[in-house]
Amino acid sequence: MAHYQGLIHRYRNRLPVTESTPVVSLNEGNTPLIELRNFTQRIGFDGRLLVKFEGLNPTGSFKDRGMTMAVTKALEGGSRAIICASTGNTSAAAAAYAARAGITSFVLIPDGKIALGKLAQAMMHGAIVLQIQGNFDDGMRLVQEIAAEMPIALVNSVNPYRLQGQKTIAFEIIEALGDAPDYHVLPVGNAGNISAHWMGYSEAVGQQTAACGLCEGQCPYLGGPAMATRRPVMLGYQASGAAPFLRGGPVAEPETVATAIRIGNPMSWHLAWAAVRESGGWFDECGDAAILETQKLLAQTEGVFCEPSSATSLAGFIQDLKRGKIRSGATVVATLTGHGLKDPDTAIAQSPQPHRVVAQRQAITHLIQQYL
Ligand code: AN7
């Protein structure tokens, strides 16, 4: 079969699956790597800047990469139900992949702090949605306790299969660029993703990413397998109101407009620190205003609409560029973790209202002339 069938199929020999593993997939992965030109010029960067648009996964975020693995392994292990705590995207992915697998999903979400699109997804895919009077960190603690005593598979990124699936983003980037970029920038919340990126980059040094599996030899559609000669410098950015990596420990009451990364006690603390340290990178923080401004600049100069949390990667990059911390002429990849449509309220709140005009040609041409 010569069409793309998802990342487990594509990277089978680099993932913990066998021939008899019942793969649960929505053909996730293979997302576009888009080179920014207008944006790059606007911010005054003299290198190459590319975004890996993970918002184009089946449920609209990078979580699908990890969820295809986590649900596949849950099913293989005989689980009939999965559970997670979530700021929104994990719950959307868990709900969708559970539906695909024909099993039950339970999702714990923070009270009133979840973007509308994500809530709609969890509800629509038939998850049992538990809105708790607490934040993500409270939910995370609860699902760990519950999964320890009930026959339910925990599919948060403490589940090692999640990171296995998510590492494949690095393989795709190396295949597209021919090697690892100089820098990789991304937002950090629970810190699973930065850890998975580093795992993927590390596993691709001196080793072919995958046999394509679709065609003989070089695949004209996806490109062939590739090998990295190096790993990128990893830069992880947090929202200032939810920046435990900058504070040196958990933050009790995380707060940010970027609700996906409104997390005060990241689970992958040590792995994320290892990624940053080993790569010679760093963590930094950005304010909500800078995050929203960057989200809008990207949408308006490039036609790429990501959610606020995702824009944190580029907001942090712009800040470091201004501070002279980015090497001139470098190749930089930013992960845009989720689609802008996930959070329509935040997008609309920061945009001018539509013009209200009578349904009359003259009124409309008069208005148009003001913009010509
Ligand atoms: C768009 O859905 O934690 O550092 O419960 O949805 O790997 O946690 C979401 C995280 C970045 C942070 N961007 O990634 C959840 C959840 C978006 C996200 C992150 C999330 P991690």
Side-chain angles (χ1 to χ4, degrees):
M1 241 186 302
H3 75 274
Y4 181 79
Q5 292 169 73
L7 59 85
I8 295 181
H9 181 251
R10 176 147 169 77
Y11 296 112
R12 181 169 283 280
N13 59 348
R14 306 302 299 268
L15 292 167
V17 291
T18 67
E19 281 305 310
S20 59
T21 303
V23 176
V24 183
S25 172
L26 291 165
N27 297 11
E28 58 295 308
N30 191 26
T31 55
L33 183 66
I34 305 166
E35 179 145 12
L36 305 183
R37 297 213 167 81
N38 304 327
F39 185 93
T40 309
Q41 197 174 21
R42 183 73 82 87
I43 66 173
F45 179 48
D46 65 357
R48 285 183 81 191
L49 177 58
L50 306 99
V51 290
K52 185 71 169 159
F53 195 14
E54 291 290 283
L56 291 181
N57 274 297
T59 79
S61 87
F62 74 96
K63 302 289 182 181
D64 295 343
R65 290 184 186 271
M67 206 53 76
T68 182
M69 272 305 302
V71 174
T72 290
K73 295 303 280 189
L75 202 65
E76 186 174 46
S79 296
R80 298 303 306 162
I82 59 171
I83 192 167
C84 67
S86 180
T87 56
N89 280 324
T90 299
S91 69
Y97 282 81
R100 183 84 165 156
I103 62 176
T104 306
S105 61
F106 299 93
V107 306
L108 269 71
I109 56 170
D111 207 8
K113 297 282 176 149
I114 161 171
L116 207 62
K118 304 172 188 179
L119 181 60
Q121 288 177 291
M123 294 168 82
M124 195 66 188
H125 291 304
I128 312 298
V129 181
L130 303 158
Q131 193 146 20
I132 59 164
Q133 287 163 3
N135 59 27
F136 171 83
D137 304 298
D138 298 316
M140 193 62 234
R141 179 175 42 79
L142 287 163
V143 294
Q144 284 179 293
E145 289 170 15
I146 292 160
E149 64 180 39
M150 296 181 85
I152 310 177
L154 181 60
V155 297
N156 280 106
S157 55
V158 291
N159 176 330
Y161 298 122
R162 280 278 309 276
L163 301 198
Q164 286 292 317
Q166 285 173 213
K167 77 183 180 186
T168 59
I169 188 173
F171 298 168
E172 291 178 15
I173 292 164
I174 291 161
E175 287 168 11
L177 297 179
D179 206 337
D182 297 309
Y183 297 88
H184 193 117
V185 306
L186 76 171
V188 175
N190 212 21
N193 210 22
I194 191 170
S195 307
H197 277 65
W198 188 241
M199 192 188 294
Y201 279 123
S202 299
E203 289 182 14
V205 174
Q207 269 209 64
Q208 296 283 332
T209 49
C212 173
L214 300 178
C215 329
E216 296 277 321
Q218 190 78 7
C219 174
Y221 167 46
L222 291 167
M227 206 156 62
T229 62
R230 57 196 172 125
R231 300 182 291 180
V233 172
M234 301 297 297
L235 308 183
Y237 299 111
Q238 302 211 279
S240 293
F245 284 102
L246 282 301
R247 308 290 170 259
V251 170
E253 302 282 344
E255 205 49 80
T256 169
V257 69
T259 54
I261 52 172
R262 186 170 164 267
I263 294 172
N265 187 16
M267 290 292 110
S268 296
W269 181 267
H270 297 292
L271 285 176
W273 265 118
V276 162
R277 280 211 188 98
E278 286 172 28
S279 74
W282 57 85
F283 290 110
D284 213 328
E285 61 185 289
C286 338
D288 281 2
I291 291 171
L292 293 179
E293 205 178 295
T294 305
Q295 181 196 18
K296 199 165 188 173
L297 183 66
L298 179 67
Q300 301 196 347
T301 60
E302 300 284 1
V304 175
F305 186 21
C306 68
E307 62 174 287
S309 301
S310 311
T312 306
S313 59
L314 290 172
F317 174 70
I318 292 171
Q319 203 169 273
D320 279 335
L321 184 67
K322 284 182 185 156
R323 290 174 183 165
K325 293 173 80 174
I326 307 296
R327 191 157 47 74
S328 170
T331 296
V332 182
V333 172
T335 305
L336 296 181
T337 46
H339 204 289
L341 289 172
K342 292 272 192 175
D343 191 356
D345 297 299
T346 304
I348 290 168
Q350 59 165 321
S351 304
Q353 291 296 307
H355 296 281
R356 296 187 67 86
V357 212
V358 288
Q360 238 179 34
R361 196 173 82 187
Q362 225 189 350
I364 293 168
T365 52
H366 179 71
L367 205 143
I368 288 172
Q369 268 157 6
Q370 295 172 25
Y371 290 91
L372 291 177

